Amino acid sequence: MTLQLRVYVPPHPLIKHWLAVARDVATPPVLFRSAITELGRWLTYEAAREWLPTMETMVQSPLDSCPATLIDPEVPVAVVPILRAGLGLLEGAQSLLPLASIYHLGLVRNEETLEPTCYLNKLPEKFDPQTRVLITDPMLATGGSIMLAMAELTQRGIDPAMTRIVCVVAAPPALQKLSAAYAGLNVYTATIDEIVNNQGYIVPGLGDAGDRIYGT
Ligand code: PRP
Ligand code: URA
């Protein structure tokens, strides 16, 4: 089977609702933050299918014993929020993945060149190769930031096929770069918007996600 990038846009009414709230320029930061948290929760719920490790066991109900499936606590699960804006998705993701380790990665784009630089890297030197990684970043625009994040992860032993990206708006330049470099990677997004303008903003998008989350 040939591995290829898969991009999922789950057709879920809650995802559509919170995307509409996040897009609306009239939404104040306090509600914008809630919308991003909710999107983090529901997109992580979708991304966890066939990704979160499980184990088969038996449980004793009040009436009989029966086969059961549990989350396997032995297989490491990691969430990598890309600061700042990826922190907005973390709370919802963490509510579903309470056992996950959180490794912060701080990236910021240069406003003129749009090239990202890393100002905080809390990734371990080496990951267990079994680790399932969920990256959170609401915006995949030119793709510079997500490509830098993927490079940092794969050089530490992460398998792209065990990696899920949760974002809110994905644009073609980022998806094309990911597709060319990381077969087997899965992206979960609330929407795909076609345009990235000359300033590096997705159109219609939702504006500067970090600024809107933190009211800056
Ligand atoms: C935003 C966003 C992504 C990045 C996407 O971060 O959160 O990380 O831009 O753009 P790209 O695909 O063109 O790289 P930003 O650099 O604005 O930092 P912030 O999250 O601190 O606001
Ligand atoms: N980063 C943002 O916050 N918004 C965009 O539209 C593109 C990159």
Side-chain angles (χ1 to χ4, degrees):
M1 190 179 74
T2 322
L3 286 178
Q4 56 187 5
L5 180 79
R6 292 204 183 133
V7 184
Y8 295 86
V9 185
H12 196 295
L14 288 168
I15 293 175
K16 289 178 205 262
H17 173 83
W18 290 114
L19 172 66
V21 172
R23 281 204 197 275
D24 189 343
V25 68
T27 296
V30 66
L31 183 57
F32 186 83
R33 267 198 302 280
S34 296
I36 299 296
T37 298
E38 291 306 317
L39 287 163
R41 191 185 327 278
W42 299 114
L43 288 162
T44 299
Y45 171 82
E46 296 286 345
R49 286 177 210 275
E50 291 159 30
W51 172 81
L52 198 53
T54 56
M55 59 186 212
E56 301 310 312
T57 186
M58 296 293 290
V59 292
Q60 180 71 44
S61 87
L63 298 180
D64 200 357
S65 77
C66 62
T69 303
L70 291 173
I71 304 300
D72 186 344
E74 298 298 323
V75 180
V77 175
V79 180
V80 178
I82 301 183
L83 278 49
R84 288 175 303 165
L87 280 179
L89 293 166
L90 176 64
E91 190 185 323
Q94 221 178 352
S95 70
L96 302 185
L97 307 172
L99 299 181
S101 303
I102 313 299
Y103 298 104
H104 296 82
L105 193 58
L107 306 182
V108 68
R109 296 193 306 178
N110 177 298
E111 283 178 15
E112 266 132 49
T113 65
L114 301 180
E115 285 301 313
T117 51
C118 180
Y119 58 87
L120 179 81
N121 186 338
K122 300 297 281 182
L123 300 178
E125 252 174 51
K126 209 77 195 152
F127 280 97
D128 177 328
Q130 290 301 308
T131 308
R132 270 61 166 177
V133 175
L134 187 107
I135 305 174
T136 64
D137 189 341
M139 312 304 281
L140 306 186
T142 67
S145 305
I146 196 66
M147 290 296 283
L148 179 53
M150 283 301 297
E152 294 290 343
L153 287 165
T154 51
Q155 75 196 29
R156 289 169 170 78
I158 286 301
D159 177 358
M162 305 235 182
T163 303
R164 302 275 193 263
I165 297 171
V166 161
C167 66
V168 176
V169 188
L175 296 177
Q176 281 154 10
K177 284 179 192 147
L178 288 171
S179 174
Y182 299 110
L185 181 65
N186 289 257
V187 178
Y188 288 76
T189 185
T191 187
I192 299 174
D193 285 359
E194 293 298 323
I195 300 168
V196 177
N197 71 15
N198 290 339
Q199 285 75 47
Y201 282 92
I202 302 175
V203 182
L206 40 84
D208 189 311
D211 281 354
R212 293 192 68 195
I213 289 170
Y214 295 109
T216 49

